[in-house]
Amino acid sequence: HISLDIFCREEEDFYERFTEEFDERAYSSGQVEKWLEKSGFELVDYFKEMTVEKPDENTERIVYIARKK
């Protein structure tokens, strides 16, 4: 479980606080691709998070682009 407190500066001496809580799970690329296929999607492409580069062995997050068949 991850809990973040984020402070956004609104004025010179004033910050607004936001709290965000979430859970993350990791899955292999093969598992994600299998779930896409089983759910009726075709894999169009995939990239390293926040780039248009292909993932490598050090990539922590992958963005998948898929379309309904």
Side-chain angles (χ1 to χ4, degrees):
H1 184 78
I2 299 169
S3 180
L4 300 175
D5 288 318
I6 302 163
F7 296 87
C8 294
R9 185 179 227 163
E10 297 295 324
E11 297 174 18
E12 189 173 323
D13 294 325
F14 177 75
Y15 289 82
E16 188 167 355
R17 179 181 179 175
F18 299 92
T19 300
E20 188 174 305
E21 295 187 24
F22 56 92
D23 294 308
E24 288 187 346
R25 292 186 180 167
Y27 301 100
S28 69
S29 293
Q31 183 65 58
V32 172
E33 292 171 23
K34 187 185 303 182
W35 286 333
L36 287 170
E37 179 70 28
K38 186 176 178 181
S39 299
F41 286 85
E42 66 176 311
L43 180 61
V44 175
D45 215 338
Y46 55 94
F47 304 101
K48 287 182 184 182
E49 179 186 36
M50 305 294 285
T51 74
V52 291
E53 298 172 20
K54 291 298 182 193
D56 58 33
E57 65 277 353
N58 297 316
T59 300
E60 293 184 9
R61 289 185 176 88
I62 299 173
V63 175
Y64 293 88
I65 299 171
R67 84 175 114 228
K68 192 77 169 164
K69 290 182 180 180

